Coordinates of all heavy atoms in Angstrom, one line a residue:
Chain A
M275 N 2.8 -45.5 26.2 CA 3.3 -45.4 24.8 C 4.2 -44.2 24.7 O 3.7 -43.1 25.0 CB 2.2 -45.4 23.8 CG 2.6 -45.7 22.4 SD 1.2 -45.8 21.3 CE 0.7 -44.1 21.1
R280 N 8.3 -34.6 17.1 CA 7.7 -33.9 16.1 C 8.6 -33.9 14.8 O 9.8 -33.8 14.9 CB 7.6 -32.4 16.7 CG 6.9 -31.4 15.9 CD 6.8 -30.2 16.8 NE 6.7 -28.9 16.0 CZ 5.6 -28.2 15.9 NH1 4.6 -28.5 16.6 NH2 5.6 -27.1 15.2
M283 N 10.5 -29.8 9.5 CA 10.1 -29.5 8.1 C 11.4 -29.1 7.4 O 12.2 -28.3 8.0 CB 9.1 -28.4 8.0 CG 8.8 -27.9 6.7 SD 7.1 -27.3 6.4 CE 7.2 -25.9 7.5
K318 N -10.8 -37.1 22.5 CA -12.3 -37.1 22.5 C -12.8 -35.7 22.6 O -13.7 -35.4 22.0 CB -12.8 -38.0 23.6 CG -12.6 -39.5 23.3 CD -13.9 -40.2 23.7 CE -13.8 -41.7 23.3 NZ -12.6 -42.4 23.9
N319 N -12.2 -35.0 23.5 CA -12.5 -33.5 23.6 C -11.4 -32.7 23.2 O -10.6 -32.2 24.0 CB -12.9 -33.3 25.1 CG -14.1 -34.0 25.5 OD1 -15.1 -34.0 24.8 ND2 -13.9 -34.8 26.6
C375 N -2.8 -27.9 22.0 CA -2.6 -29.3 21.7 C -2.2 -30.0 23.0 O -1.3 -29.5 23.7 CB -1.6 -29.5 20.6 SG -1.2 -31.3 20.4
G381 N 5.8 -30.2 25.3 CA 6.7 -29.3 24.5 C 6.8 -29.7 23.0 O 7.6 -29.1 22.3
R391 N -0.8 -27.1 5.7 CA -0.1 -26.6 4.5 C 0.0 -27.8 3.6 O -0.2 -27.7 2.3 CB 1.2 -26.0 4.9 CG 2.0 -25.8 3.7 CD 3.3 -25.2 4.0 NE 4.3 -25.3 2.8 CZ 5.4 -24.7 2.8 NH1 5.9 -24.0 3.7 NH2 6.2 -24.9 1.7
H398 N -3.6 -28.5 -4.5 CA -3.2 -27.8 -5.7 C -2.5 -28.6 -6.7 O -2.7 -28.5 -7.9 CB -2.2 -26.6 -5.2 CG -1.6 -25.9 -6.4 ND1 -2.4 -25.2 -7.2 CD2 -0.4 -25.7 -6.8 CE1 -1.6 -24.6 -8.2 NE2 -0.4 -24.9 -7.9
L434 N -23.2 -18.9 1.1 CA -24.6 -18.9 1.5 C -25.5 -18.4 0.4 O -26.7 -18.2 0.6 CB -24.8 -18.0 2.7 CG -24.1 -18.5 4.0 CD1 -23.9 -17.5 5.1 CD2 -24.9 -19.7 4.6
F441 N -14.2 -4.7 -3.4 CA -13.5 -3.6 -4.0 C -12.1 -3.5 -3.4 O -11.9 -3.4 -2.1 CB -14.3 -2.3 -3.7 CG -15.6 -2.4 -4.4 CD1 -16.8 -2.8 -3.7 CD2 -15.8 -2.0 -5.7 CE1 -18.0 -2.9 -4.3 CE2 -17.1 -2.0 -6.3 CZ -18.2 -2.5 -5.6
R459 N 8.2 -16.2 2.4 CA 7.4 -16.7 3.5 C 6.0 -17.1 3.0 O 5.4 -18.0 3.5 CB 7.2 -15.6 4.6 CG 7.0 -16.0 5.9 CD 7.5 -15.1 7.0 NE 6.9 -13.8 7.1 CZ 5.8 -13.7 7.9 NH1 5.2 -14.7 8.4 NH2 5.3 -12.4 8.0
V464 N 0.7 -18.8 -4.3 CA -0.2 -19.4 -3.3 C -1.4 -18.4 -3.0 O -2.5 -18.8 -2.9 CB 0.5 -19.7 -2.0 CG1 -0.5 -20.1 -0.9 CG2 1.6 -20.8 -2.2
Y525 N 13.1 4.5 4.6 CA 11.8 3.9 4.1 C 10.9 3.6 5.3 O 11.4 3.2 6.4 CB 12.1 2.6 3.4 CG 12.7 2.6 2.0 CD1 14.1 2.4 1.9 CD2 12.0 2.9 0.9 CE1 14.7 2.3 0.7 CE2 12.6 2.8 -0.3 CZ 13.9 2.5 -0.5 OH 14.5 2.6 -1.7
R554 N 24.4 -1.5 4.3 CA 24.2 -1.6 5.8 C 22.8 -1.1 6.1 O 22.5 0.1 6.0 CB 25.3 -0.7 6.5 CG 26.7 -1.1 6.3 CD 27.7 -0.2 6.9 NE 27.5 -0.2 8.4 CZ 28.1 -0.9 9.3 NH1 29.0 -1.8 8.9 NH2 27.8 -0.8 10.6
G559 N 12.5 -1.7 15.0 CA 11.2 -2.5 15.3 C 11.6 -4.0 15.4 O 12.6 -4.4 14.8
C570 N 14.4 -9.3 3.8 CA 14.4 -8.8 2.4 C 15.6 -8.0 2.1 O 16.2 -8.2 1.0 CB 13.2 -7.9 2.1 SG 11.6 -8.7 1.9
M580 N 20.4 -5.2 10.2 CA 20.3 -5.1 11.6 C 18.9 -4.8 12.1 O 18.1 -4.1 11.4 CB 21.2 -3.9 12.1 CG 22.7 -4.1 11.9 SD 23.7 -2.6 12.1 CE 23.4 -1.8 10.5
I581 N 18.5 -5.3 13.2 CA 17.3 -5.0 13.9 C 17.6 -4.1 15.0 O 18.5 -4.5 15.9 CB 16.6 -6.3 14.5 CG1 16.0 -7.1 13.3 CG2 15.6 -5.9 15.5 CD1 14.7 -6.5 12.7
L610 N 17.6 -3.1 23.3 CA 17.7 -2.0 24.2 C 18.4 -0.8 23.5 O 19.2 -0.1 24.1 CB 18.5 -2.4 25.5 CG 17.7 -3.5 26.3 CD1 18.7 -4.0 27.4 CD2 16.4 -2.9 26.8
K621 N 24.7 15.5 0.8 CA 23.7 15.3 -0.3 C 22.4 14.8 0.1 O 21.5 14.6 -0.6 CB 24.3 14.3 -1.3 CG 25.6 14.9 -2.0 CD 25.6 14.5 -3.5 CE 26.8 15.1 -4.2 NZ 28.1 14.6 -3.8
L634 N 15.3 -1.6 30.9 CA 13.9 -2.0 31.2 C 13.5 -1.6 32.6 O 14.1 -2.0 33.6 CB 13.7 -3.5 30.9 CG 13.9 -3.9 29.5 CD1 13.6 -5.4 29.3 CD2 12.9 -3.1 28.5
E656 N 26.4 2.9 11.9 CA 26.5 3.3 10.5 C 25.5 2.5 9.7 O 25.3 1.3 9.9 CB 27.9 2.9 10.0 CG 29.0 4.0 10.2 CD 30.3 3.5 9.7 OE1 30.3 3.1 8.5 OE2 31.3 3.6 10.4
T697 N -20.8 1.7 13.9 CA -21.8 2.6 14.4 C -22.7 3.1 13.3 O -23.7 3.8 13.5 CB -21.0 3.9 14.9 OG1 -20.1 4.3 13.9 CG2 -20.2 3.6 16.2
M718 N -9.1 -13.0 9.6 CA -10.1 -14.0 9.0 C -11.2 -14.4 9.9 O -12.3 -14.5 9.5 CB -9.3 -15.3 8.6 CG -8.3 -15.1 7.4 SD -7.3 -16.5 7.1 CE -8.6 -17.7 6.8
K722 N -15.1 -13.8 9.2 CA -16.1 -14.9 9.4 C -17.3 -14.6 10.3 O -18.4 -14.8 10.0 CB -15.3 -16.1 10.0 CG -15.9 -17.4 9.7 CD -14.8 -18.5 10.0 CE -15.3 -19.8 9.4 NZ -15.4 -19.7 7.9

Side-chain angles (χ1 to χ4, degrees):
Chain A
M275 195 176 73
R280 188 173 151 109
M283 178 151 61
K318 284 224 176 59
N319 297 307
C375 171
R391 171 179 166 170
H398 174 62
L434 293 166
F441 296 93
R459 206 148 73 79
V464 173
Y525 286 100
R554 297 178 60 94
C570 280
M580 298 168 275
I581 288 282
L610 300 169
K621 296 218 172 68
L634 292 180
E656 272 180 53
T697 53
M718 289 175 58
K722 206 164 193 61

